[in-house]
Amino acid sequence: MARATARHILVASEAKCNELKAAIEAGADFAQVAKDNSTCPSGRNGGDLGSFGPGQMVKEFDTVVFSAPLNVVQGPVKTQFGYHLLEVTSRQD
């Protein structure tokens, strides 16, 4: 069974999501940006979501997490919770 580990940052607006993505791409630390900005409780842990399998996260997450290249920030990804930046840190297919 496929498994992945990922981290994310959740914010309320697409504009804020794009702003944070630009900061990370310019060299800001993903974990610190998550701690400072994410509205998800995982933000306290640098956005770390731990290990999970297909179907354990919302559909939009699954689509990205089980197809995106590793260690590349993806997003904005819109879900019912808001806008996410996602980074897949490992995956076993």
Side-chain angles (χ1 to χ4, degrees), residues 3 5 25 39 41 46-47 54 66 72 75 81:
R3 302 285 301 167
T5 58
E25 288 174 343
T39 59
F66 290 98
V72 177
F81 303 106

Side-chain angles (χ1 to χ4, degrees), residues 4-77:
T5 58
R7 54 188 184 167
H8 83 131
I9 298 169
L10 173 63
V11 294
S13 75
E14 187 173 8
K16 182 67 172 178
C17 205
N18 281 318
E19 175 189 321
L20 297 178
K21 184 176 184 179
I24 292 165
E25 288 174 343
D29 180 64
F30 190 104
Q32 191 59 53
V33 173
K35 287 177 185 173
D36 294 343
N37 295 278
S38 185
T39 59
C40 180
S42 69
R44 289 190 297 270
N45 300 322
D48 186 13
L49 295 169
S51 176
F52 52 91
Q56 291 186 269
M57 299 288 178
V58 293
K59 179 180 169 291
E60 299 89 346
F61 248 65
D62 265 12
T63 300
V64 173
V65 168
F66 290 98
S67 67
L70 298 181
N71 304 308
V72 177
V73 177
Q74 305 292 316
V77 176

